């Protein structure tokens, strides 16, 4: 038998003020760590993302990496996977084309 760590939904407790700040920064395309660089991945700019990954990879086991990642997410230091996409308004101009069918077409 072996142990695998599959991503599973977890409930995160986060301060509402911090959550509001994160939503605002993502909308403005600014790194959630408070620097003024644009968002690259998971709410972080390239430099902050690199620092996050560096510490995560320094953990010895996948279980330790998962615990570190969860703590960082709860602290509002990094977004969960896919959260950035959910928070950021799309920049694709075609995204909403056809979602409302005009009366004269129906
Ligand atoms: Zn940053």
């Amino acid at each position: 038998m072996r142990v695998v760590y599959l991503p599973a939904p977890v409930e995160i407790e986060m301060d509402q003020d911090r959550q509001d700040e994160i939503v605002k920064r993502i909308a403005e395309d600014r790194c959630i760590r408070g620097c003024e660089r644009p968002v690259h991945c998971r709410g972080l700019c390239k430099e902050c993302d690199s620092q996050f990954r560096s510490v995560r990879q320094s953990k010895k086991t996948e279980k330790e990496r998962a615990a570190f990642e969860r703590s960082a997410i709860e602290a509002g230091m990094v977004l969960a996977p896919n959260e950035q996409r959910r928070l950021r308004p799309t920049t694709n101009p075609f995204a909403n084309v056809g979602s409302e069918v005009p009366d004269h077409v129906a």
Side-chain angles (χ1 to χ4, degrees), residues 4-104:
V4 295
Y5 296 93
L6 300 173
V10 289
E11 292 197 9
I12 299 282
E13 297 289 341
M14 189 186 290
D15 179 66
Q16 188 59 48
D17 287 346
R18 180 62 185 144
Q19 183 62 47
D20 292 346
E21 172 71 13
I22 287 173
V23 170
K24 184 166 174 277
R25 292 193 76 93
I26 294 296
E28 294 169 353
D29 192 26
R30 292 189 298 150
C31 174
I32 66 169
R33 287 300 302 133
C35 62
E36 296 306 316
R37 289 181 288 267
V39 172
H40 165 63
C41 183
R42 296 187 61 174
L44 303 174
C45 67
K46 283 184 181 173
E47 283 188 45
C48 294
D49 181 53
S50 169
Q51 291 176 331
F52 165 69
R53 285 172 196 276
S54 164
V55 174
R56 187 185 189 283
Q57 284 311 115
S58 72
K59 306 297 177 189
K60 288 186 175 63
T61 66
E62 191 56 39
K63 191 174 181 179
E64 286 175 326
R65 286 190 279 273
F68 162 74
E69 188 161 338
R70 183 190 172 137
S71 295
I73 293 169
E74 282 185 325
M77 297 179 77
V78 64
L79 296 181
N82 294 322
E83 210 177 356
Q84 180 178 312
R85 192 177 310 155
R86 187 172 60 76
L87 293 177
R88 183 143 69 176
T90 181
T91 54
N92 186 333
F94 296 97
N96 297 316
V97 172
S99 58
E100 286 181 35
V101 180
D103 287 343
H104 67 270

